[in-house]
Amino acid sequence: MVKERREAMQSFSASAKAEICREYPQNTCCALAECFGILLFCNCFQDTQIKIITESQDFGKLLPRLFRKAFGVSFDQLPEDGGTGKLVFQITAPNKIAAIMDAFGFTRGDTLSLHINLPVVEEDCCKAAFLRGAFLAGGSVTSPAKAYHLEFTTTHKSVARECYTLLHETVGFSPKTASRAGAQVLYLKQSDLISDFLTFLGAPVASMGIMEAKLEKELNNQVNRCCNCDDANTSKVVEAAQEQLSAIRVLRERGELEKLPQKIAQAARAREENPEASLSELAAMMEPPITKPAMNHRLQRIVAMAKEAAQ
Ligand SMILES: [Zn+2]
């Protein structure tokens, strides 16, 4: 599968970041807000030096462009061309740091009490940009095959507190908080929240990866249950459901899902939301309810359409 091949090459976090980096801020206000998120969540933001360390190649490519757009400033130290592993970006020239601090209304000496300067994140577009920057510089998301976990880390206590409020205001949910080795950690543990948040950041593919992993886990549980009770008939039902779910995925990937006739789309939605439901249960969910053979017919059409689309 394409997805597995891509994941073997880079971590789930790295592919989520790659997706987020594709969304280059068009407005200067957003570029500034994104840089603000980066600086408050990066390795070091002081009036003597700025240091950003990342393992994301895509973020590494984005950084110099972004700083040029936001501040008209270049980095004093860049990673070597073609460098891999940890990429280090540094600014040490006092006039550059002064220009950056000035853009946020800070003056030298302010750094010990860094906080989220609200005018910078006043517009909705800028709030999203800020959180994108914060995630790129100080965030990570674990592969859903292992665990549901997304987190941001900052060394500034006040920033963590204000970011908590910002998340609550913009996306409507509160992360959990913890401190780890002197740093403040904001984190999410629920698959649906992580998925929603990744979509909000501009990473819909990673978001879908979380939901797919969840479906797969649920189906595996179901399969195990079937094997345990040795019910060949039920396992056939699960197999059919799996085939239907992967057909729906294929149609979505190819943008065909939106184009389906309404009745078929309704069947697809019901199957997706109820991976474990039997045909008669699904048939009863249709509006108006239909017979089991009619339901079977709709699901068969979905599978056939996916086969056609995949050719
Ligand atoms: Zn903006």
Side-chain angles (χ1 to χ4, degrees), residues 100-130:
I100 289 169
M101 300 200 78
D102 195 46
F104 298 128
F106 294 129
T107 44
R108 281 173 77 107
D110 270 348
T111 32
L112 290 176
S113 59
L114 282 179
H115 57 96
I116 300 180
N117 190 359
L118 290 172
V120 179
V121 293
E122 201 173 287
E123 303 296 328
D124 281 348
C125 58
C126 299
K127 286 190 173 102
F130 174 87

Short mmCIF file of all heavy atoms in Angstrom, two decimals, residues 100-130:
data_model
loop_
_atom_site.label_atom_id
_atom_site.label_comp_id
_atom_site.label_asym_id
_atom_site.label_seq_id
_atom_site.Cartn_x
_atom_site.Cartn_y
_atom_site.Cartn_z
N ILE A 100 13.24 41.12 15.03
CA ILE A 100 12.22 40.09 15.30
C ILE A 100 11.42 40.42 16.55
O ILE A 100 10.19 40.37 16.57
CB ILE A 100 12.90 38.70 15.43
CG1 ILE A 100 13.39 38.25 14.04
CG2 ILE A 100 11.95 37.67 16.01
CD1 ILE A 100 14.29 37.03 14.06
N MET A 101 12.13 40.80 17.60
CA MET A 101 11.44 41.10 18.86
C MET A 101 10.55 42.32 18.69
O MET A 101 9.44 42.38 19.23
CB MET A 101 12.45 41.31 19.98
CG MET A 101 13.29 40.06 20.18
SD MET A 101 14.09 39.96 21.76
CE MET A 101 12.79 39.47 22.82
N ASP A 102 11.05 43.25 17.91
CA ASP A 102 10.30 44.47 17.65
C ASP A 102 8.97 44.16 16.96
O ASP A 102 7.94 44.74 17.26
CB ASP A 102 11.16 45.39 16.77
CG ASP A 102 10.60 46.80 16.77
OD1 ASP A 102 10.29 47.28 17.87
OD2 ASP A 102 10.45 47.37 15.67
N ALA A 103 9.01 43.20 16.01
CA ALA A 103 7.80 42.84 15.26
C ALA A 103 6.70 42.33 16.19
O ALA A 103 5.52 42.41 15.87
CB ALA A 103 8.14 41.78 14.21
N PHE A 104 7.08 41.78 17.34
CA PHE A 104 6.09 41.26 18.28
C PHE A 104 5.84 42.21 19.45
O PHE A 104 5.15 41.87 20.40
CB PHE A 104 6.55 39.91 18.85
CG PHE A 104 6.70 38.86 17.79
CD1 PHE A 104 7.85 38.14 17.68
CD2 PHE A 104 5.66 38.62 16.90
CE1 PHE A 104 8.00 37.16 16.71
CE2 PHE A 104 5.80 37.66 15.92
CZ PHE A 104 6.96 36.93 15.82
N GLY A 105 6.45 43.38 19.40
CA GLY A 105 6.25 44.34 20.48
C GLY A 105 7.03 43.99 21.74
O GLY A 105 6.70 44.46 22.82
N PHE A 106 8.06 43.15 21.59
CA PHE A 106 8.93 42.89 22.74
C PHE A 106 10.13 43.81 22.66
O PHE A 106 10.54 44.23 21.58
CB PHE A 106 9.47 41.46 22.72
CG PHE A 106 8.43 40.39 22.88
CD1 PHE A 106 8.35 39.34 21.99
CD2 PHE A 106 7.54 40.45 23.95
CE1 PHE A 106 7.39 38.34 22.15
CE2 PHE A 106 6.58 39.46 24.11
CZ PHE A 106 6.50 38.40 23.20
N THR A 107 10.74 44.08 23.81
CA THR A 107 12.04 44.75 23.78
C THR A 107 13.03 43.84 24.48
O THR A 107 12.64 42.90 25.18
CB THR A 107 12.00 46.11 24.50
OG1 THR A 107 11.27 45.95 25.72
CG2 THR A 107 11.34 47.17 23.64
N ARG A 108 14.32 44.12 24.27
CA ARG A 108 15.35 43.28 24.89
C ARG A 108 15.12 43.22 26.39
O ARG A 108 14.80 44.20 27.02
CB ARG A 108 16.73 43.87 24.59
CG ARG A 108 17.21 43.54 23.18
CD ARG A 108 18.48 44.30 22.90
NE ARG A 108 19.60 43.64 23.58
CZ ARG A 108 20.52 42.93 22.94
NH1 ARG A 108 20.47 42.81 21.64
NH2 ARG A 108 21.49 42.36 23.59
N GLY A 109 15.27 42.02 26.96
CA GLY A 109 15.07 41.87 28.39
C GLY A 109 13.70 41.28 28.69
O GLY A 109 13.43 40.80 29.77
N ASP A 110 12.83 41.29 27.67
CA ASP A 110 11.47 40.76 27.84
C ASP A 110 11.41 39.24 27.85
O ASP A 110 10.44 38.66 28.29
CB ASP A 110 10.58 41.21 26.67
CG ASP A 110 9.90 42.53 26.99
OD1 ASP A 110 9.96 42.94 28.17
OD2 ASP A 110 9.34 43.13 26.07
N THR A 111 12.46 38.61 27.32
CA THR A 111 12.36 37.19 27.00
C THR A 111 12.06 36.29 28.19
O THR A 111 11.52 35.22 28.02
CB THR A 111 13.66 36.68 26.35
OG1 THR A 111 14.72 37.42 26.88
CG2 THR A 111 13.60 36.82 24.86
N LEU A 112 12.41 36.72 29.38
CA LEU A 112 12.16 35.86 30.51
C LEU A 112 10.67 35.76 30.81
O LEU A 112 10.21 34.87 31.50
CB LEU A 112 12.93 36.35 31.74
CG LEU A 112 14.45 36.14 31.62
CD1 LEU A 112 15.18 36.72 32.80
CD2 LEU A 112 14.76 34.66 31.46
N SER A 113 9.90 36.72 30.30
CA SER A 113 8.46 36.65 30.54
C SER A 113 7.71 36.64 29.22
O SER A 113 6.77 37.37 29.03
CB SER A 113 8.02 37.85 31.38
OG SER A 113 8.35 39.03 30.68
N LEU A 114 8.16 35.78 28.32
CA LEU A 114 7.50 35.70 27.01
C LEU A 114 6.06 35.26 27.17
O LEU A 114 5.75 34.41 27.98
CB LEU A 114 8.23 34.69 26.12
CG LEU A 114 9.51 35.19 25.48
CD1 LEU A 114 10.12 34.07 24.66
CD2 LEU A 114 9.25 36.40 24.61
N HIS A 115 5.21 35.83 26.39
CA HIS A 115 3.81 35.44 26.44
C HIS A 115 3.23 35.59 25.04
O HIS A 115 3.85 36.16 24.16
CB HIS A 115 3.05 36.31 27.43
CG HIS A 115 3.17 37.77 27.10
ND1 HIS A 115 2.21 38.44 26.38
CD2 HIS A 115 4.14 38.67 27.35
CE1 HIS A 115 2.60 39.68 26.21
NE2 HIS A 115 3.75 39.85 26.78
N ILE A 116 2.03 35.06 24.83
CA ILE A 116 1.40 35.16 23.52
C ILE A 116 0.82 36.56 23.39
O ILE A 116 -0.13 36.91 24.05
CB ILE A 116 0.32 34.09 23.34
CG1 ILE A 116 0.93 32.69 23.47
CG2 ILE A 116 -0.36 34.25 21.98
CD1 ILE A 116 -0.05 31.56 23.30
N ASN A 117 1.48 37.32 22.53
CA ASN A 117 1.09 38.71 22.34
C ASN A 117 -0.22 38.73 21.53
O ASN A 117 -0.25 38.44 20.35
CB ASN A 117 2.21 39.40 21.59
CG ASN A 117 2.03 40.88 21.55
OD1 ASN A 117 1.05 41.40 22.08
ND2 ASN A 117 2.95 41.57 20.92
N LEU A 118 -1.31 39.05 22.21
CA LEU A 118 -2.62 38.82 21.60
C LEU A 118 -2.89 39.51 20.27
O LEU A 118 -3.50 38.91 19.40
CB LEU A 118 -3.72 39.09 22.62
CG LEU A 118 -3.72 38.01 23.71
CD1 LEU A 118 -4.68 38.36 24.83
CD2 LEU A 118 -4.04 36.64 23.14
N PRO A 119 -2.46 40.77 20.07
CA PRO A 119 -2.73 41.38 18.77
C PRO A 119 -2.19 40.54 17.59
O PRO A 119 -2.78 40.53 16.52
CB PRO A 119 -2.01 42.72 18.85
CG PRO A 119 -1.93 43.02 20.30
CD PRO A 119 -1.82 41.70 21.00
N VAL A 120 -1.09 39.83 17.81
CA VAL A 120 -0.50 39.03 16.74
C VAL A 120 -1.42 37.88 16.34
O VAL A 120 -1.42 37.42 15.21
CB VAL A 120 0.89 38.49 17.16
CG1 VAL A 120 1.50 37.64 16.06
CG2 VAL A 120 1.82 39.63 17.52
N VAL A 121 -2.21 37.39 17.29
CA VAL A 121 -3.08 36.25 16.97
C VAL A 121 -4.57 36.63 17.05
O VAL A 121 -5.41 35.82 17.37
CB VAL A 121 -2.81 35.04 17.89
CG1 VAL A 121 -1.44 34.48 17.62
CG2 VAL A 121 -2.94 35.41 19.36
N GLU A 122 -4.86 37.89 16.71
CA GLU A 122 -6.24 38.35 16.85
C GLU A 122 -7.16 37.76 15.78
O GLU A 122 -8.25 37.28 16.08
CB GLU A 122 -6.27 39.87 16.79
CG GLU A 122 -7.52 40.44 17.41
CD GLU A 122 -7.44 41.95 17.49
OE1 GLU A 122 -6.68 42.44 18.33
OE2 GLU A 122 -8.12 42.61 16.68
N GLU A 123 -6.70 37.77 14.53
CA GLU A 123 -7.55 37.26 13.44
C GLU A 123 -7.59 35.73 13.47
O GLU A 123 -6.62 35.09 13.86
CB GLU A 123 -6.98 37.70 12.08
CG GLU A 123 -6.81 39.19 11.92
CD GLU A 123 -8.15 39.93 11.95
OE1 GLU A 123 -9.15 39.33 11.49
OE2 GLU A 123 -8.18 41.06 12.45
N ASP A 124 -8.72 35.17 13.00
CA ASP A 124 -8.85 33.71 12.97
C ASP A 124 -7.76 33.06 12.13
O ASP A 124 -7.21 32.03 12.50
CB ASP A 124 -10.23 33.31 12.40
CG ASP A 124 -11.30 33.45 13.47
OD1 ASP A 124 -10.94 33.63 14.66
OD2 ASP A 124 -12.50 33.38 13.12
N CYS A 125 -7.47 33.70 10.97
CA CYS A 125 -6.45 33.13 10.08
C CYS A 125 -5.12 33.03 10.82
O CYS A 125 -4.36 32.07 10.67
CB CYS A 125 -6.31 33.95 8.80
SG CYS A 125 -5.90 35.70 9.05
N CYS A 126 -4.85 34.04 11.65
CA CYS A 126 -3.57 34.09 12.35
C CYS A 126 -3.52 33.10 13.50
O CYS A 126 -2.45 32.56 13.82
CB CYS A 126 -3.31 35.49 12.89
SG CYS A 126 -3.22 36.72 11.59
N LYS A 127 -4.67 32.85 14.12
CA LYS A 127 -4.70 31.87 15.21
C LYS A 127 -4.29 30.50 14.67
O LYS A 127 -3.48 29.80 15.28
CB LYS A 127 -6.12 31.77 15.80
CG LYS A 127 -6.48 32.97 16.66
CD LYS A 127 -7.78 32.71 17.40
CE LYS A 127 -8.07 33.83 18.38
NZ LYS A 127 -9.07 34.78 17.91
N ALA A 128 -4.86 30.13 13.53
CA ALA A 128 -4.51 28.84 12.93
C ALA A 128 -3.03 28.82 12.56
O ALA A 128 -2.33 27.84 12.79
CB ALA A 128 -5.37 28.58 11.70
N ALA A 129 -2.54 29.94 12.01
CA ALA A 129 -1.13 30.01 11.61
C ALA A 129 -0.23 29.87 12.83
O ALA A 129 0.79 29.18 12.80
CB ALA A 129 -0.85 31.33 10.88
N PHE A 130 -0.60 30.52 13.92
CA PHE A 130 0.18 30.44 15.15
C PHE A 130 0.30 28.99 15.61
O PHE A 130 1.38 28.50 15.93
CB PHE A 130 -0.46 31.29 16.25
CG PHE A 130 0.22 31.15 17.58
CD1 PHE A 130 1.31 31.95 17.91
CD2 PHE A 130 -0.20 30.20 18.51
CE1 PHE A 130 1.96 31.80 19.14
CE2 PHE A 130 0.44 30.05 19.73
CZ PHE A 130 1.51 30.86 20.04
#
